[in-house]
Amino acid sequence: MTTALVIEDNEDNMVLITRLLKSAGYQTLEAMTGLAGLELAIAEQPDFILLDIQLPDIEGTEVVSRLRTTTEGKDIPVIAVTSYAMAGDRERLLAAGCSGYIEKPINPMLVIDQIKRITGE
Amino acid sequence: MPKKQRILIVDDVPDNIHVLMDILGGDYVLQAATNGIKALEFAQQKARPDLVLLDIKMPEMDGFEVLKRLKANKETETIPVIFVTALTDVFDETIGLELGAVDYITKPISAPVIKARVKTHLELFAHKQALEMKVKELSLTEDELRKANERLKELDKLKSMFIASMSHELRTPLNSIIGFTGMMLQGVSGELNEEQEDNLNRVYRSGQHLLGLISDVIDISKIEAGRIEVFPQHFDLKELIGEALELIQPQADKKHLVLDLTASSWPEMFTDRKRLLQCLLNYLSNAVKFTEQGTVRVIIQELNGDVEIAVSDTGIGIAEDGIPKLFEAFERLESHLQIKAGGSGLGLYLTKKIAHDLLQGDVQVVSEVKKGSTFSIRIPKAVRLSSEDTEVISS
């Protein structure tokens, strides 16, 4: 079974995305801060990570950069979740090692397809 | 009774002073000085003279020197000075007038001439002062107005920013409402019966509608506050138009409208793709809303460095008197169809704002009642970047 790690600080968003993922047959791991997410990623090595870019502790880009320096986490695909207001950051996100991004707010009708397109499933 | 005007008489010969005092006495407050130094002192006292009658030939300091010093001092430079002198040489008169005296009277003096000239110069001086006062007042008023205007602009920006951030706060919970409703509609939380699905669909649609309104308000407020950034990128116009048509296709299909595309060329674009798409979708959804049968056509044209994208429909059209108001905020034309169609009344205003303020172009409309409308946007193919603009993102 494919495991997704969701790093997201907004509870509603977390519930929404994890329920959608579960219903599509994914297993989910949850972290509400960047540091907790990093720890979980290294310990559990999920198949991919959905990463909110605005987090309370460290920036999403920082999470990716740090993850890329670890042997356990350097190859895990990371999908950034960003709002359009941060469009200028996208190139930086891709440069930091994200595989792609999903626009916020997520669209429950489309999000699973968007994820599959990025992870290449 | 107006205050009596003050005249300072300067002459080293007391008899001459007395003659002038006899002529002018009663009508004015008179003061006399028998030498230049004394005269300068009097001229600088608090009750300044309104006119100085000045002799030229005096020991120690002559009248020319006194005048020079009066003119050199900010406090006394405006006091009118009339030379009253025995020097009849035109040369002396010239010097005196060039130094800034308002008049030059030669001795022996004639009482009526003195009286008349003194009166005239005092009047002139009073008018001049009144005029200067007025100018000063006006420039003060202008200054205040300018400041008030600046303050208003500042407040207007604050208002716009307030609305933008307020609306942003509204959007977060609304996204939850839409998200969870959407999820239930997907059947993620179990099968829905027909009525439940219809109920949720209504919640979902209303939520989307409200979100659209809020997003429009945020965009407009941000543009008005000058806080919206342009994110230019290189992209293919053909692909953008394709995306817009694909998004609008379901609405057009529902009304059995034909979507059509005509392009003479496909320019390479370098502008804010998302904002351009927003404008096009706005035009397209209006066209579909207000057209009951026929075709909605997109027409692309290149015009010296610009690209014009027109959306033409075979809909209800707009009466001539309604056209000037179209691109204003909250202007919705009275029409049964319009009310049925919903919308915020902000769409065209926002489109114009985006075209104008962000994409450096403009919008246009041509319409005929019952025949249809053509809304167009004309923008530079490549947005001009100022040094303040943000970095370029590539697609």
Side-chain angles (χ1 to χ4, degrees):
Chain A
M1 196 186 262
T2 313
T3 303
L5 166 61
V6 184
I7 308 177
E8 163 71 66
D9 65 315
N10 179 295
E11 199 199 330
D12 275 4
N13 290 345
M14 175 68 93
V15 172
L16 184 63
I17 189 71
T18 50
R19 282 185 189 163
L20 284 166
L21 285 168
K22 279 176 193 157
S23 85
Y26 295 91
Q27 205 163 27
T28 60
L29 295 165
E30 302 174 16
M32 296 191 74
T33 64
L35 290 173
L38 263 178
E39 235 172 79
L40 212 51
I42 292 161
E44 303 289 334
Q45 302 195 25
D47 295 293
F48 67 92
I49 300 172
L50 269 182
L51 175 65
D52 181 20
I53 290 309
Q54 282 171 299
L55 291 168
D57 54 346
I58 53 173
E59 284 283 308
T61 39
E62 181 65 24
V63 175
V64 189
S65 315
R66 289 200 203 173
L67 191 68
R68 291 296 175 244
T69 62
T70 65
T71 39
E72 299 90 336
K74 68 180 193 322
D75 295 322
I76 305 173
V78 176
I79 302 171
V81 184
T82 71
S83 58
Y84 179 64
M86 296 174 48
D89 289 340
R90 284 183 185 163
E91 196 170 53
R92 252 166 288 158
L93 290 175
L94 297 181
C98 290
S99 318
Y101 53 83
I102 292 172
E103 202 156 286
K104 239 180 165 180
I106 60 157
N107 183 331
M109 319 286 193
L110 303 176
V111 69
I112 298 298
D113 282 345
Q114 290 171 324
I115 290 171
K116 284 184 175 163
R117 210 173 298 159
I118 297 168
T119 56
E121 278 182 62
Chain B
M1 268 291 281
K3 230 176 82 184
K4 279 189 181 175
Q5 287 165 298
R6 304 179 75 90
I7 299 176
L8 172 62
I9 303 168
V10 189
D11 203 311
D12 58 322
V13 182
D15 281 352
N16 291 343
I17 291 175
H18 289 137
V19 172
L20 285 169
M21 283 190 148
D22 286 344
I23 296 169
L24 300 169
D27 297 334
Y28 307 101
V29 177
L30 300 173
Q31 207 169 9
T34 50
N35 62 61
I37 300 292
K38 204 89 195 137
L40 290 171
E41 246 170 60
F42 284 152
Q44 283 180 57
Q45 62 196 3
K46 207 172 166 205
R48 223 153 271 150
D50 298 296
L51 182 73
V52 180
L53 296 175
L54 184 57
D55 184 23
I56 294 177
K57 275 194 81 175
M58 294 185 290
E60 288 156 31
M61 189 190 291
D62 69 6
F64 293 144
E65 183 59 29
V66 174
L67 179 57
K68 270 188 214 164
R69 294 197 189 185
L70 284 173
K71 290 290 172 201
N73 185 339
K74 270 246 169 292
E75 314 258 298
T76 56
E77 64 177 352
T78 59
I79 303 170
V81 174
I82 301 176
F83 280 121
V84 182
T85 175
L87 299 177
T88 54
D89 195 329
V90 178
F91 182 66
D92 292 313
E93 184 172 349
T94 309
I95 293 176
L97 294 177
E98 271 177 359
L99 285 174
V102 295
D103 209 345
Y104 192 93
I105 302 172
T106 51
K107 294 171 187 172
I109 52 176
S110 135
V113 170
I114 284 275
K115 272 192 167 179
R117 290 198 180 173
V118 162
K119 187 165 173 268
T120 304
H121 285 296
L122 279 171
E123 273 172 12
L124 269 176
F125 182 55
H127 287 315
K128 197 177 155 205
Q129 273 183 320
L131 208 62
E132 273 166 7
M133 194 72 97
K134 266 275 175 293
V135 170
K136 214 170 173 181
E137 273 171 31
L138 278 178
S139 83
L140 272 178
T141 314
E142 200 196 316
D143 208 44
E144 274 166 25
L145 280 174
R146 216 192 52 241
K147 275 184 196 150
N149 197 27
E150 269 163 26
R151 175 93 186 114
L152 277 176
K153 277 188 193 157
E154 206 48 49
L155 284 173
D156 189 55
K157 268 193 183 178
L158 274 179
K159 172 221 67 178
S160 294
M161 277 325 290
F162 169 74
I163 294 174
S165 55
M166 184 66 214
S167 307
H168 189 75
E169 293 305 313
L170 295 174
R171 197 154 57 171
T172 308
L174 185 55
N175 281 329
S176 285
I177 293 172
I178 293 169
F180 283 94
T181 316
M183 182 167 72
M184 284 194 278
L185 279 169
Q186 293 281 89
V188 168
S189 314
E191 284 281 316
L192 300 171
N193 68 32
E194 217 171 288
E195 191 177 325
Q196 285 169 330
E197 187 173 339
D198 181 67
N199 291 346
L200 286 176
N201 258 317
R202 286 169 196 276
V203 175
Y204 189 78
R205 277 201 305 270
S206 295
Q208 290 287 10
H209 182 67
L210 187 52
L211 185 63
L213 297 187
I214 292 173
S215 301
D216 281 1
V217 169
I218 292 176
D219 284 347
I220 288 169
S221 310
K222 279 192 178 163
I223 294 174
E224 283 176 349
R227 295 281 186 90
I228 210 161
E229 284 172 289
V230 184
F231 296 114
Q233 54 178 311
H234 294 281
F235 64 90
D236 181 8
L237 185 60
K238 189 173 189 174
E239 180 256 339
L240 174 92
I241 302 288
E243 182 177 340
L245 289 174
E246 198 175 306
L247 284 166
I248 215 73
Q249 190 77 53
Q251 286 161 258
D253 286 349
K254 258 187 223 166
K255 297 177 84 173
H256 307 291
L257 299 174
V258 178
L259 290 181
D260 185 72
L261 174 62
T262 316
S264 48
S265 62
W266 288 110
E268 264 299 311
M269 301 294 290
F270 177 68
T271 188
D272 194 319
R273 185 184 187 281
K274 175 135 184 170
R275 292 295 171 193
L276 180 57
L277 179 62
Q278 193 178 357
C279 294
L280 289 181
L281 284 175
N282 196 2
Y283 277 171
L284 282 168
S285 73
N286 279 346
V288 169
K289 263 184 213 167
F290 301 124
T291 305
E292 292 310 305
Q293 57 178 349
T295 308
V296 172
R297 176 171 287 124
V298 178
I299 305 143
I300 316 286
Q301 270 191 85
E302 264 187 88
L303 304 157
N304 354 289
D306 288 354
V307 60
E308 187 191 70
I309 306 167
V311 176
S312 192
D313 65 49
T314 52
I316 56 170
I318 304 140
E320 212 173 311
D321 59 348
I323 287 180
K325 290 183 184 170
L326 272 178
F327 287 101
E328 286 172 27
F330 299 111
E331 275 301 338
R332 298 172 64 189
L333 303 175
E334 285 312 314
S335 127
H336 177 66
L337 273 168
Q338 190 101 21
I339 290 158
K340 201 177 90 186
S344 63
L346 290 173
L348 286 177
Y349 177 66
L350 177 58
T351 301
K352 185 184 175 178
K353 278 263 168 210
I354 291 173
H356 202 265
D357 296 7
L358 301 181
L359 305 181
Q360 301 164 354
D362 213 346
V363 291
Q364 214 191 341
V365 59
V366 183
S367 188
E368 202 176 327
V369 176
K370 291 190 180 132
K371 290 262 174 78
S373 309
T374 300
F375 285 85
S376 55
I377 176 172
R378 179 177 173 166
I379 58 168
K381 281 186 284 190
V383 78
R384 291 175 294 275
L385 292 175
S386 73
S387 51
E388 286 166 35
D389 277 320
T390 50
E391 75 206 77
V392 173
I393 48 172
S394 51
S395 53

